[in-house]
Amino acid sequence: DTGVSQNPRHKITKRGQNVTFRCDPISEHNRLYWYRQTLGQGPEFLTYFQNEAQLEKSRLLSDRFSAERPKGSFSTLEIQRTEQGDSAMYLCASSLREEKLFFGSGTQLSVL
Amino acid sequence: SQQGEEDPQALSIQEGENATMNCSYKTSINNLQWYRQNSGRGLVHLILIRSNEREKHSGRLRVTLDTSKKSSSLLITASRAADTASYFCATDPRGYQKVTFGIGTKLQVIP
């Protein structure tokens, strides 16, 4: 059990650029979640995968955000045409069935 | 959107005192979980209580769940300076495929 791994840890980008983050969950976990967290707030749900199927997506998520989980293993979160309001910590978590979530250390995005 | 709301949003106590945090939620749940986050770090799972359970203990932690009131409480006994962190409740709503978090309680334990 090597834990949930997220890359990169930090990303600085200019407004309008596209960014992609990667999450490697714990290998036997079939559930994978993406959250966004800003300073002083709780994690905000973005999307959820069960194996390779994306089963839930927040209505707050604009069409600039897309996530994939090919083959039910690692996942990527892409943000197109970034805006300053996208600056946040992006957290990935995985779990086995309806059990506790294991979180990665997150990717801190700064949009200049 | 946030499903749960923690109360209080901030709590400051002396080392050795007990800390109580409350969480209210809106919909029926499969389970409720409490997490801890140290400043600038990832979230760490503390305890999970299922909808058919009323109380659960883990070390210095005690969690209660009242599904009729849609509320939960987290009690940390004999607090330590190292308990200083933000604490979040998270609910796994029945019928939905997502775990949603509250806004958290920021706990400061003064040595």
Side-chain angles (χ1 to χ4, degrees):
Chain A
D1 178 359
T2 57
V4 178
S5 177
Q6 289 189 248
N7 287 289
R9 289 294 306 276
H10 303 274
K11 179 70 177 179
I12 300 173
T13 191
K14 292 183 179 178
R15 192 176 52 184
Q17 298 293 306
N18 299 343
V19 294
T20 300
F21 310 139
R22 176 176 171 128
C23 172
D24 287 272
I26 294 172
S27 58
E28 66 268 26
H29 285 183
N30 60 339
R31 294 184 168 200
L32 187 145
Y33 301 81
W34 284 100
Y35 292 88
R36 176 172 64 189
Q37 188 178 27
T38 53
L39 200 63
Q41 299 295 314
E44 178 184 18
F45 173 83
L46 293 179
T47 191
Y48 159 73
F49 289 86
Q50 185 164 308
N51 299 312
E52 67 275 10
Q54 188 175 20
L55 299 184
E56 284 280 347
K57 186 175 176 180
S58 170
R59 289 192 298 271
L60 301 174
L61 218 59
S62 75
D63 56 7
R64 296 186 298 107
F65 287 70
S66 63
E68 293 182 342
R69 192 183 182 197
K71 303 178 184 176
S73 56
F74 71 93
S75 176
T76 58
L77 177 68
E78 181 183 17
I79 308 174
Q80 296 182 329
R81 305 180 303 281
T82 52
E83 302 171 356
Q84 286 186 325
D86 297 331
S87 295
M89 174 74 82
Y90 290 83
L91 296 166
C92 175
S94 69
S95 73
L96 190 62
R97 299 185 295 275
E98 293 172 359
E99 299 294 334
K100 63 183 180 182
L101 272 60
F102 290 81
F103 278 85
S105 298
T107 295
Q108 181 67 52
L109 173 66
S110 297
V111 182
L112 305 179
Chain B
S1 62
Q2 310 291 125
Q3 151 85 312
E5 283 189 17
E6 287 90 341
D7 170 54
Q9 291 190 24
L11 181 60
S12 182
I13 59 173
Q14 296 289 327
E15 200 166 32
E17 294 181 339
N18 295 342
T20 300
M21 289 159 263
N22 302 297
C23 170
S24 59
Y25 57 92
K26 298 172 185 173
T27 63
S28 297
I29 58 172
N30 294 315
N31 63 62
L32 185 144
Q33 305 171 39
W34 284 90
Y35 289 81
R36 163 195 170 128
Q37 185 177 38
N38 288 80
S39 182
R41 308 286 294 273
L43 284 87
V44 175
H45 180 268
L46 295 176
I47 197 164
L48 180 152
I49 186 165
R50 302 192 187 281
S51 60
N52 61 350
E53 297 176 312
R54 292 296 168 259
E55 188 170 313
K56 206 159 184 181
H57 297 256
S58 177
R60 294 184 296 114
L61 305 179
R62 172 178 170 256
V63 168
T64 61
L65 178 65
D66 187 334
T67 53
S68 66
K69 295 181 180 178
K70 291 187 171 56
S71 68
S72 174
S73 67
L74 171 68
L75 169 67
I76 304 174
T77 59
S79 63
R80 305 166 182 168
D83 294 328
T84 294
S86 291
Y87 292 81
F88 297 93
C89 71
T91 52
D92 188 350
R94 193 166 296 158
Y96 294 89
Q97 302 288 343
K98 60 183 180 182
V99 175
T100 55
F101 286 76
I103 59 174
T105 293
K106 194 166 185 177
L107 173 66
Q108 182 184 27
V109 181
I110 302 167

